[in-house]
Amino acid sequence: PPARRAGKMAAGGRACRAAGLLLPWRLRARRQEYSAAATAAAAAAAAGGGRGRLLLGAAFALGGGTGLYLAARHRLWERSAAELPAGNLQLTLYQYKTCPFCSKVRAFLDYHGLPYEIVEVNPIMRKEIKFSSYRKVPILLANAGSPLQLNDSSVIISAIKTYLISKRKSLEEIVSFYPPMKTVTEQGKEVFEYGNKYWLMLDEKETKRVYPVNEVRVEEMKWRKWADDWLVHLISPNVYRTPREALASFDYIVREGKFGTVEGFFAKYLGAVAMFFVSKRLKKRHHLQDNVREDLYDAVNEWVKAVGQHRLFMGGNQPNLADLAVYGVLRVMEGLEAFDDMMLHTKIQPWYQRMEEVIQKVVV
């Protein structure tokens, strides 16, 4: 019901918080913010004894959307900024690989054919972003003549999209249109929000070119916000829904991380237990059904219904920013049981495959 959905979305919040509890399930070349739940998970895992930082790192790598950090930085699909012609936009993305908000930004950059470098951030020390007072990811460093730091996935997408469309404005001017505003959460924590982050800062002529009718813009903004406020918070409870699924997640990272026998044993089993219980807290926080799969199925079917039968994408013949946001969030589950169940029990597959194809064409 709409009232129930509105309550869920309000409870969802706007940052990556605990929603990013994801698994680095696949080292793919194609492939906000920091989570308090990840901290709890890591602490629970670390309680296993003298495994210390190794086990702590395992818990963080699967918790809080922190992504895969196996002692070295992994590069996703990228082209070096040094290869760009002079005067072009040079981009460096600081991220946790499996954070859905970071995945949104990558989907956007890939679709628009924008070369960028990726720096995988260590989820424990975060020394890669020590230069920034903003301690979350994604962070995008952009240089279009002068270096700028862009924070928040939706701000990054809106600002860069505006820059690509509006040749009259400098990137620095565009970024100034998205000022951070300090707010206080229900828990009394001070956070920064961006009230206009789903707007493209275009003049009337540019707006008409991108959005022939106002309803097109309203629809895009509505579903971008839906992806941030609701869809993203369904991922973690589904990924860690059962002890078996949680164990499968940690089995992967132990194998990929090449832990020693003893360290791997503790990381796998204690980490899986910690994340299983964290997922239950998330389920309660976001008022999910007992079977969290049903919330996931309902959400993606709602999205498919919104796209409709007569459009390839919400953007028509090509994806718009809402398509890219939803795709970016969902693809972080690839390779997991939750993803396979979603494909089997919902109507998302045709749209999802079209999204994969159109982005892959650009990347290739």
Side-chain angles (χ1 to χ4, degrees), residues 51-201:
R51 301 330 183 259
R53 182 165 292 182
L54 186 62
L55 180 54
L56 187 64
F60 267 93
L62 279 198
T66 53
L68 186 60
Y69 195 94
L70 301 177
R73 297 177 182 178
H74 294 286
R75 300 271 176 158
L76 307 181
W77 175 78
E78 62 181 35
R79 300 173 194 167
S80 171
E83 298 173 5
L84 290 172
N88 274 278
L89 189 62
Q90 299 181 8
L91 304 172
T92 302
L93 177 64
Y94 291 77
Q95 66 154 24
Y96 300 144
K97 181 185 176 186
T98 54
C99 169
F101 295 98
C102 300
S103 179
K104 278 172 46 188
V105 174
R106 294 198 310 272
F108 168 81
L109 296 175
D110 287 349
Y111 174 71
H112 288 85
L114 295 173
Y116 60 99
E117 293 188 33
I118 283 184
V119 176
E120 193 70 21
V121 175
N122 183 320
I124 302 172
M125 304 302 296
R126 290 181 283 172
K127 62 183 180 181
E128 294 80 7
I129 56 173
K130 66 186 300 183
F131 63 85
S132 172
S133 60
Y134 183 81
R135 303 297 290 167
K136 303 175 183 178
V137 293
I139 291 174
L140 184 71
L141 296 188
N143 193 329
S146 59
L148 290 172
Q149 177 178 325
L150 285 72
N151 306 324
D152 185 280
S153 62
S154 291
V155 171
I156 290 170
I157 290 169
S158 293
I160 299 298
K161 182 68 173 181
T162 300
Y163 179 76
L164 295 176
I165 296 170
S166 179
K167 304 302 182 182
R168 300 177 302 100
K169 301 183 181 73
S170 69
L171 184 57
E172 187 172 9
E173 179 186 4
I174 292 168
V175 171
S176 72
F177 297 149
Y178 301 93
M181 299 176 291
K182 185 179 292 187
T183 61
V184 180
T185 67
E186 294 178 357
Q187 293 75 32
K189 181 180 179 181
E190 288 188 349
V191 297
F192 286 98
E193 285 290 351
Y194 302 81
N196 55 353
K197 63 184 178 182
Y198 301 109
W199 284 85
L200 301 188
M201 301 304 173

Side-chain angles (χ1 to χ4, degrees), residues 5-16:
R5 187 176 302 117
K8 291 177 179 177
M9 292 175 68
R14 292 174 177 78
C16 188

Side-chain angles (χ1 to χ4, degrees), residues 14 21 30 103 149 168 183 202 224 241 260 280 330-331 336:
R14 292 174 177 78
L21 303 175
R30 303 191 282 121
S103 179
Q149 177 178 325
R168 300 177 302 100
T183 61
L202 308 174
R224 288 181 67 191
R241 181 183 60 152
K280 300 309 172 187
L330 292 179
R331 73 172 174 178
L336 296 180

Side-chain angles (χ1 to χ4, degrees), residues 3 5 18 27 48 83 95 123 143 160 173 213 218 240 245 258 261 269 288 293 302 316 331 337 343:
R5 187 176 302 117
L27 286 174
E83 298 173 5
Q95 66 154 24
N143 193 329
I160 299 298
E173 179 186 4
V213 294
V218 171
Y240 297 102
E245 289 178 89
K258 299 179 181 179
T261 302
Y269 290 98
L288 305 185
R293 284 287 199 273
E302 182 182 9
R331 73 172 174 178
E337 183 177 330
M343 288 295 183

Side-chain angles (χ1 to χ4, degrees), residues 334-350:
E334 284 194 14
L336 296 180
E337 183 177 330
F339 183 85
D340 295 338
D341 286 348
M342 178 185 70
M343 288 295 183
L344 181 63
H345 296 289
T346 72
K347 301 176 181 179
I348 195 75
Q349 186 170 353

